[in-house]
Amino acid sequence: MKTLVEKGWRPTLVLVLLFIIWEFSVKILEIEQWLLPAPSQIFNELIHGTDVYLEHLWPTIQLCIIGLAIGCTVGIVTGIILHIVPFLRQAFYPILIISQNIPTIVLAPLLVIWFGFGMLPKIFVIILVCFFPITISLLDGFRQSDRDVMNYMKMAGATKQQIFWKLEWPNALPSLFSGIKISATYSVMGAVISEWLGASKGIGVYMQLSQSSFRTDRVFVAIILIVILSLLLLGLIMLLEKKMIRWRPKEGKSHE
Amino acid sequence: MSKLEINHLSISFGSQKILDDITFTAEEGEFISILGPSGSGKSTLFNLIGGILIPDEGSILLDGKEITGKRGSISYMPQSHALMPWRTILDNVLLGQEIAGKRDEKKALEMLGKAGLKGYEKHYPHELSGGMKQRVSFIRSLLSPQSLICLDEPFSALDEFTRFEMQNWLLSVWQQYKRTILFITHNIDEALYLSDRILVLSNKPASVQKEFIVPFKRPRTEEMLYSAEFLKWKQDIYREIKQYSL
Ligand SMILES: Nc1ncnc2c1ncn2[C@@H]1O[C@H](COP(=O)(O)OP(=O)(O)OP(=O)(O)O)[C@@H](O)[C@H]1O
Ligand SMILES: [Mg+2]
């Protein structure tokens, strides 16, 4: 907690200064509200406009969490299967690597065409964008097992199963978690974009409605909500990571 | 019957012959050092005994039974400590037993205590010094159920002072538990101080070039290191190695 204050005051100061400059520029230059609202107006809407956006919040949260959970499961299972079946790994790993450089989100319109406008295509989109980074980071983690420990276990007569559960799996956990963190961000993005393509409720819908009615302050509120949602999801994952990986040496202070 | 019999072991990597017709035996409770220049194939020899490499020719017998290419028959301590960073010290030393199927925490705690690691049972490896990690790694191999222990340069990464301390500790533990030990090193002093017998390997390809039976009485003391006889032995072995590696 103390380090949070110690490390956090500088960026907080920068943000506060930025808001102050923004507020005064908008006032002095008399910028119209539909073009760029002042921070005070945005915060006002954030506090007093709950009636409008609260009903849009829950569907998006639901979408993110369900999509991410299924995406993680699919990603982990795929990673394990590709790891233990060398033939499949050799066949699919290059495809996975290449597909990582393509924004999978572009497939969203297709999924809407195939599965309609319900929840299903949206969850599909999120699973699709989530599972790639997880599978790849897991596979990388598996491959980075220490050679000496591996030799030790083999000489001690460890079975393939023992090697997997006692060495490869725990060794891959940190890498897996960095994959999950990337996926968490993707899941929020996937939810909002798939809502743009067609939905009756959701932050994406709220954002679109606000934009078409020139309520730029509400567009900013939507952005804030998305940021908060992403950070909360990330915090949740980091909490889980801390619970599961207690052994990692304290990060060195050299990079500060 | 000898504890371990190595018969005419040869292996090549590609066109490079690494081990050529290695033959020696080890008796029950014996401490044998294997001395050879870097890259001569000492670790490869352990990989063969441990069953993770298959020899091109030759066989390995443990207690009269063939173990060539069979894993799980020896207890091994790799050149690096090879501890798992996510396991506590206690869980690390129990790894060998876990693989064999039984955990004896009481004995593990007792041995950690004797090794001066009391209070560190629940710590993680990164919180320990190099010498402590090496001790943990050694206790792991000592707690494993196999009766032949193969140590691959366990102390080469340590400073002179810690190294000497560890050698004494190793001798006291060995005298107490009487296991057969194969000990790889490229330090002549260390080999003389610790072992009953020293095998000198030749270089490229390696075979057993000469065998020295160490005459010094046990328990060995620090004074022995400064005796004229010790120096003479050291010279003999040094000449033997130099003659072949040049
Ligand atoms: N899996 C392998 N494939 C090909 N060459 C190998 C392999 N393992 C070892 N070698 C080669 O065999 C030779 C002997 O290696 P080894 O690790 O056994 O040497 P060493 O005597 O243990 O050396 P050091 O004292 O430095 O540990 C080296 O030249 C090495 O490059
Ligand atoms: Mg070696």
Side-chain angles (χ1 to χ4, degrees), chain A:
Chain A
M1 213 46 207
K2 202 181 153 203
T3 55
L4 200 68
V5 175
E6 260 172 32
K7 283 183 186 169
W9 71 267
R10 276 166 284 217
T12 312
L13 186 71
V14 170
L15 283 180
V16 168
L17 277 177
L18 206 72
F19 283 135
I20 292 173
I21 294 171
W22 178 357
E23 181 81 36
F24 280 101
S25 326
V26 168
K27 289 269 151 61
I28 293 164
L29 300 174
E30 292 176 0
I31 297 172
E32 296 203 53
Q33 200 188 336
W34 64 269
L35 203 60
L36 181 67
S40 56
Q41 285 163 328
I42 296 168
F43 284 118
N44 192 45
E45 182 60 30
L46 184 67
I47 292 158
H48 295 109
T50 43
D51 289 350
V52 190
Y53 69 72
L54 267 190
E55 57 166 351
H56 288 289
L57 203 54
W58 179 237
T60 308
I61 294 177
Q62 223 178 348
L63 215 54
C64 285
I65 291 180
I66 296 176
L68 183 63
I70 301 179
C72 280
T73 316
V74 173
I76 292 172
V77 170
T78 313
I80 293 177
I81 291 174
L82 292 191
H83 175 65
I84 53 182
V85 188
F87 171 76
L88 291 181
R89 182 178 59 235
Q90 282 147 20
F92 283 102
Y93 189 71
I95 299 175
L96 279 175
I97 291 290
I98 292 169
S99 69
Q100 232 204 348
N101 297 310
I102 306 168
T104 12
I105 199 80
V106 298
L107 295 177
L110 273 183
L111 291 170
V112 173
I113 293 174
W114 293 335
F115 301 103
F117 291 99
M119 200 154 166
L120 193 67
K122 299 187 184 70
I123 293 204
F124 260 20
V125 170
I126 300 174
I127 294 173
L128 204 66
V129 294
C130 283
F131 110 94
F132 286 110
I134 291 178
T135 301
I136 287 177
S137 59
L138 189 60
L139 278 174
D140 285 346
F142 284 149
R143 290 197 318 173
Q144 281 160 7
S145 299
D146 188 292
R147 268 183 58 115
D148 286 330
V149 184
M150 181 66 97
N151 276 351
Y152 171 82
M153 291 201 64
K154 283 181 178 168
M155 284 208 208
T159 59
K160 279 218 161 79
Q161 255 189 14
Q162 285 174 324
I163 289 179
F164 182 78
W165 287 115
K166 290 181 199 296
L167 172 61
E168 291 173 321
W169 175 255
N171 189 67
L173 277 184
S175 175
L176 173 63
F177 269 104
S178 49
I180 295 180
K181 279 184 227 162
I182 296 172
S183 294
T185 322
Y186 283 10
S187 79
V188 180
M189 181 186 76
V192 172
I193 292 181
S194 60
E195 281 167 358
W196 284 349
L197 293 173
S200 52
K201 291 246 165 349
I203 298 178
V205 177
Y206 168 76
M207 207 171 182
Q208 257 184 341
L209 290 176
S210 311
Q211 183 216 4
S212 51
S213 57
F214 294 99
R215 287 297 302 266
T216 313
D217 53 342
R218 286 189 181 167
V219 175
F220 272 105
V221 169
I223 293 172
I224 293 175
L225 292 176
I226 292 170
V227 169
I228 293 174
L229 183 57
S230 302
L231 290 182
L232 278 181
L233 219 50
L234 207 64
L236 208 70
I237 292 163
M238 280 161 81
L239 209 70
L240 195 69
E241 184 183 24
K242 228 178 174 168
K243 268 248 145 64
M244 289 185 69
I245 307 176
R246 269 172 299 183
W247 50 271
R248 208 206 300 252
K250 305 262 177 298
E251 303 292 340
K253 300 245 178 218
S254 52
H255 295 298
E256 287 173 22

Side-chain angles (χ1 to χ4, degrees), chain B residues 190-238:
Chain B
E190 182 168 81
L192 272 171
Y193 187 58
L194 296 176
S195 31
D196 299 317
R197 222 159 14 116
I198 298 175
L199 305 175
V200 176
L201 293 190
S202 57
N203 203 1
K204 309 263 169 189
S207 53
V208 181
Q209 171 191 322
K210 192 153 177 140
E211 181 185 309
F212 293 91
I213 294 171
V214 182
F216 302 105
K217 291 263 173 314
R218 295 183 188 273
R220 304 215 169 130
T221 55
E222 201 177 339
E223 279 80 69
M224 177 194 124
L225 292 171
Y226 312 120
S227 67
E229 201 191 351
F230 187 87
L231 234 66
K232 190 193 141 292
W233 274 90
K234 193 174 159 179
Q235 258 171 15
D236 285 353
I237 296 175
Y238 183 68

Side-chain angles (χ1 to χ4, degrees), chain B residues 31-152:
Chain B
F31 195 129
I32 297 182
S33 284
I34 296 165
L35 204 58
S38 185
S40 58
K42 304 183 296 296
S43 298
T44 306
L45 176 62
F46 273 12
N47 288 343
L48 284 165
I49 299 174
I52 62 173
L53 283 177
I54 312 274
D56 299 336
E57 280 164 62
S59 62
I60 303 158
L61 274 71
L62 184 72
D63 296 318
K65 281 192 286 281
E66 171 139 13
I67 57 157
T68 322
K70 259 176 66 184
R71 296 169 182 182
S73 344
I74 64 155
S75 161
Y76 165 67
M77 175 173 167
Q79 215 160 337
S80 70
H81 55 76
L83 299 176
M84 294 178 167
W86 56 84
R87 282 182 171 235
T88 60
I89 299 307
L90 180 63
D91 285 338
N92 257 301
V93 297
L94 286 168
L95 180 64
Q97 292 192 347
E98 257 175 50
I99 291 171
K102 57 163 177 63
R103 274 168 70 104
D104 184 354
E105 282 198 19
K106 224 182 115 220
K107 184 149 183 233
L109 287 171
E110 181 197 312
M111 293 202 66
L112 282 172
K114 277 189 194 149
L117 291 163
K118 206 174 195 66
Y120 285 96
E121 297 89 354
K122 292 273 173 278
H123 285 233
Y124 289 92
H126 72 264
E127 299 168 298
L128 270 61
S129 75
M132 287 157 99
K133 278 187 252 198
Q134 225 65 31
R135 256 178 286 174
V136 174
S137 180
F138 180 66
I139 291 173
R140 179 176 67 183
S141 50
L142 212 56
L143 281 170
S144 302
Q146 298 87 355
S147 57
L148 172 69
I149 300 181
C150 295
L151 307 171
D152 193 347

